[in-house]
Amino acid sequence: MVAGSPLRTIEVALASNPYTVRIGEGALEALGGLLEERGCAAGTQVLLVTNPEVDHHYGARVLASLQRHGFHTTRLVIAAGEEQKTLATVSQIHDAAYAQRLERRSLVVALGGGVVGDMAGFAAATWLRGIPVVQVPTTLLAMVDAAIGGKTGVNHPGGKNLIGAFHQPELVLVDPATLTTLPEREFRAGMAEVIKYGVIGDPILFADLESAADLSSLEAIGPARLQRLLQRSAAAKARVVAADEREGGLRAILNYGHTLGHVVETLCGYGTVIHGEAVAMGMEAVGQLALAMGLWKAADQERQRAVIAKAGLPLVLPPLDVEAAMQTLQSDKKVNQGQLRFVLPTGIGHVVIRNDVDPALIRQLLAGSL
Ligand code: NAD
Ligand code: GLY
């Protein structure tokens, strides 16, 4: 994509509140105009929520775009980091909403990664029982996953994302140029979610990943492949969300690699292993489970492993206290009537949801002896 090129559009075709994901360089500058096109009147109150690093790079550009179109803006900078993803931080957003007298027609703009997006989205979902939010993701992970689909929320000491609400955004605006300042470790973490879409349902996307020599940095991937990966990933997420907005069934496939990934994040301490890294380990681990259960072929496990490794992501679960891990698994949102639910691969582009995985097998996996 080149500066000034038109924004690509992916539809999130929900029955009640459809919206679009717009992708392209220059998207940040387009925000004010896009909101005006959507009927937001000049003078509308907009609360921009971001964190210090993202604000430093992009806050002023987003505010300028909003102000050019007559919006009344306030900026709230919250502390960065997964450990800040708490109700206390959401309270700060509510306090700012109160101070600015945000009304039902006011708007929250979330500028940042998944942490900012999940919390700003949750604050918007709960302020006055729900005001609109626009997601402007600035990490690869948030661009392809967190910003799309309306899951918002915070962590509880007992587990990740246990407190939350579904609250679909009005618009998702992706400017790939923001990835130039993203630390490489965070970029690689986002690649884990891109790989996920390939394995759970898009063999063409997976083949694109396989054909790359190196997936570990923005430079290695290059602008053309990045554009394809962003569009195919956003489209993959949009399809699943449109088919099952509230995770009554199909949407659970998006949790591929996440069930064990959440255990790693929770037990290792947030920030030690970051979300995408934990998902990468989780995908390798459920691949091993699927192999042990005779659900998928060793050759496919090897293909998945090769792509994860090419993205510079970790494969091996860290040493875990098996009983603590089993307990964390039991407190996961995805537990259904005490039964653990796993998304298991059956081929590249195909997964199944199973709640009958033998706990003894899971213990073996967690102990590193499967
Ligand atoms: P993050 O939001 O913590 O961002 C990672 C780091 O990158 C932060 O330090 C941030 O300040 C920095 N950063 C962000 N954009 C930058 C940029 N362009 N330049 C420089 N630095 C930048 O991490 P994340 O990986 O984006 O999100 C992880 C969170 O997303 C987790 O809390 C996870 O639970 C959540 N998540 C939610 C969903 C969902 O559907 N809602 C899906 C997946 C993940
Ligand atoms: N990231 C999982 C989901 O959005 O459902």
Side-chain angles (χ1 to χ4, degrees):
M1 273 170 282
V2 292
S5 66
L7 304 179
R8 309 296 166 93
T9 303
I10 310 275
E11 308 280 347
V12 186
L14 294 168
S16 58
N17 44 350
Y19 57 95
T20 55
V21 181
R22 307 295 305 273
I23 306 175
E25 287 197 11
L28 293 188
E29 280 72 19
L31 176 60
L34 290 171
L35 291 177
E36 197 175 80
E37 272 173 29
R38 291 180 63 85
C40 288
T44 300
Q45 287 270 9
V46 180
L47 175 62
L48 175 71
V49 181
T50 187
N51 76 20
E53 181 70 14
V54 179
D55 182 44
H56 166 71
H57 291 295
Y58 307 109
R61 278 164 59 191
V62 171
L63 284 175
S65 170
L66 292 165
Q67 287 159 2
R68 271 198 305 278
H69 291 268
F71 295 104
H72 191 286
T73 59
T74 315
R75 164 172 33 193
L76 176 68
V77 180
I78 56 175
E82 185 70 33
E83 65 287 354
Q84 305 294 335
K85 204 174 126 178
T86 61
L87 284 176
T89 309
V90 169
S91 270
Q92 290 176 22
I93 307 176
H94 286 155
D95 289 348
Y98 179 74
Q100 296 309 314
R101 300 285 186 269
L102 292 198
E103 303 168 353
R104 284 247 164 82
R105 283 164 181 259
S106 305
L107 203 70
V108 172
V109 172
L111 174 70
V115 168
V116 165
D118 279 10
M119 281 196 290
F122 185 57
T126 45
W127 186 249
L128 304 181
R129 299 194 179 88
I131 66 170
V133 63
V134 170
Q135 294 284 352
V136 186
T138 61
T139 63
L140 178 58
L141 186 140
M143 289 175 182
V144 298
D145 190 359
I148 308 167
K151 280 190 181 176
T152 70
V154 296
N155 301 324
H156 180 271
K160 263 187 70 74
N161 299 328
L162 290 181
I163 304 163
F166 284 99
H167 188 55
Q168 297 294 342
E170 293 293 300
L171 169 73
V172 181
L173 195 54
V174 174
D175 192 333
T178 59
L179 296 176
T180 53
T181 54
L182 186 69
E184 273 190 10
R185 184 179 178 194
E186 297 293 345
F187 182 83
R188 291 194 293 269
M191 283 306 296
E193 303 285 0
V194 177
I195 296 167
K196 173 188 84 176
Y197 292 119
V199 179
I200 68 173
D202 190 345
I204 295 173
L205 170 58
F206 193 86
D208 201 344
L209 296 170
E210 275 185 314
S211 69
D214 182 352
L215 293 168
S216 65
S217 69
L218 189 63
E219 292 69 33
I221 287 173
R225 195 186 302 272
L226 176 69
Q227 179 185 347
R228 290 197 300 273
L229 298 181
L230 287 173
Q231 286 181 209
R232 283 202 86 91
S233 298
K237 175 119 192 201
R239 273 194 304 276
V240 175
V241 170
D244 178 20
E245 183 180 357
R246 296 277 172 140
E247 202 165 312
L250 178 74
R251 185 164 177 169
I253 68 171
L254 295 174
N255 295 322
Y256 180 59
H258 286 56
T259 307
L260 289 165
H262 282 176
V263 172
V264 172
E265 279 182 274
T266 304
L267 293 187
C268 293
Y270 296 133
T272 316
V273 177
I274 60 177
H275 182 75
E277 292 169 345
V279 169
M281 295 174 196
M283 291 192 288
E284 162 75 9
V286 287
Q288 286 173 27
L289 273 183
L291 262 181
M293 293 168 71
L295 292 173
W296 90 324
K297 299 195 286 271
D300 286 336
Q301 174 76 348
E302 200 36 62
R303 287 176 71 192
Q304 174 179 271
R305 189 174 286 159
V307 168
I308 294 173
K310 214 164 19 176
L313 287 161
L315 286 156
V316 182
L317 291 177
L320 295 169
D321 176 328
V322 174
E323 287 320 310
M326 290 302 285
Q327 215 171 333
T328 308
L329 275 174
Q330 285 293 346
S331 68
D332 194 278
K333 296 186 297 310
K334 295 173 275 297
V335 170
N336 188 6
Q337 295 182 331
Q339 286 182 313
L340 298 178
R341 192 170 59 172
F342 281 94
V343 184
L344 298 174
T346 56
I348 298 297
H350 302 278
V351 287
V352 286
I353 301 170
R354 294 279 291 257
N355 56 10
D356 61 347
V357 181
D358 183 354
L361 212 53
I362 302 169
R363 282 195 159 79
Q364 268 179 278
L365 177 77
L366 292 168
S369 57
L370 190 65

